[in-house]
Amino acid sequence: MIIGKNFFINEMPKTGTSFLRNYFKTYKSIVITNHHDTVEHNKEKKLLNKKYRIGTIRSPYTWYLSFWKWSCLKKKDSPLYSDLTSRRIKIRRLKFDSKLFNYLFNQITKNTDELENLFIDVNSKKNFNKFLQILLNHKYRNYISSDFSFTQNKELGYMTHFFFIKM
């Protein structure tokens, strides 16, 4: 997060924020926190009282492509790879509502080997298209993670969800 006197910039991953961080390093009055921090990570700075709130974003297609390629290279260091390729059923993460049963069923029955294969070849159009289908088709939402799986709006894509969570 990049914090100035009357503004803050919330950094969404894979949107060019490393460039912004390097640019603002030259200004002594600017505070640069951990990369991709959120407002929640910086409660003591009273960010929501600042006049300007800025968020970074990117073309959805190139964002998904970049995030997928990065996940192919980073594997378990990518939160999205970890969410997709492992079973997320930790009780403290779950929201107890009408969607819980379907979420648990999908987490238990999802084919993690098949999902891991989506990240093997960084140049595979077929794997990228399947990856997009999982992130953008509501019927696969329960494969991802409890936060995204329990969102109310069926039309909300992963990028939009991620942006709102970060802001």
Side-chain angles (χ1 to χ4, degrees):
M1 185 167 277
I2 301 165
I3 305 169
K5 181 179 177 182
N6 61 355
F7 75 93
F8 70 91
I9 301 173
N10 210 339
E11 309 159 296
M12 192 163 144
K14 310 310 294 168
T15 60
T17 56
S18 294
F19 169 81
L20 288 174
R21 294 173 77 75
N22 287 331
Y23 174 79
F24 280 108
K25 279 181 185 175
T26 60
Y27 294 91
K28 299 211 184 298
S29 62
I30 302 293
V31 174
I32 299 176
T33 68
N34 292 330
H35 212 174
H36 308 305
D37 267 359
T38 65
V39 171
E40 289 293 313
H41 293 115
N42 293 284
K43 288 181 181 177
E44 74 285 353
K45 294 183 173 54
K46 300 185 183 349
L47 296 173
L48 297 180
N49 294 336
K50 299 212 178 268
K51 186 173 181 179
Y52 301 103
R53 303 170 189 180
I54 303 164
T56 58
I57 199 156
R58 184 177 184 174
S59 156
Y61 179 81
T62 60
W63 184 80
Y64 283 117
L65 181 61
S66 180
F67 205 173
W68 173 73
K69 284 187 173 202
W70 179 79
S71 296
C72 286
L73 298 172
K74 295 295 184 179
K75 301 284 192 260
K76 294 202 183 272
D77 289 335
S78 163
L80 185 53
Y81 175 89
S82 295
D83 282 344
L84 276 172
T85 61
S86 62
R87 292 183 169 81
R88 301 291 189 180
I89 53 176
K90 292 183 181 172
I91 298 298
R92 63 182 162 85
R93 288 183 164 189
L94 299 178
K95 296 179 179 159
F96 294 95
D97 68 11
S98 61
K99 298 177 184 181
L100 181 60
F101 177 75
N102 285 337
Y103 173 77
L104 290 171
F105 178 77
N106 279 284
Q107 286 294 309
I108 292 168
T109 61
K110 71 180 176 180
N111 186 338
T112 56
D113 292 334
E114 183 179 317
L115 292 167
E116 284 178 15
N117 287 335
L118 293 178
F119 299 93
I120 287 177
D121 182 3
V122 74
N123 295 310
S124 171
K125 290 179 184 179
K126 181 182 172 187
N127 287 353
F128 175 64
N129 285 333
K130 179 72 175 168
F131 169 79
L132 273 181
Q133 183 180 20
I134 290 169
L135 292 186
L136 299 176
N137 188 329
H138 181 69
K139 74 179 187 178
Y140 298 111
R141 183 168 287 177
N142 286 326
Y143 285 14
I144 302 173
S145 68
S146 56
D147 284 344
F148 184 58
S149 296
F150 288 97
T151 56
Q152 298 301 317
N153 189 324
K154 289 183 179 182
E155 303 302 319
L156 185 70
Y158 187 77
M159 180 184 191
T160 306
H161 166 77
F162 203 94
F163 181 78
F164 285 138
I165 290 294
K166 296 301 277 181
M167 291 303 284

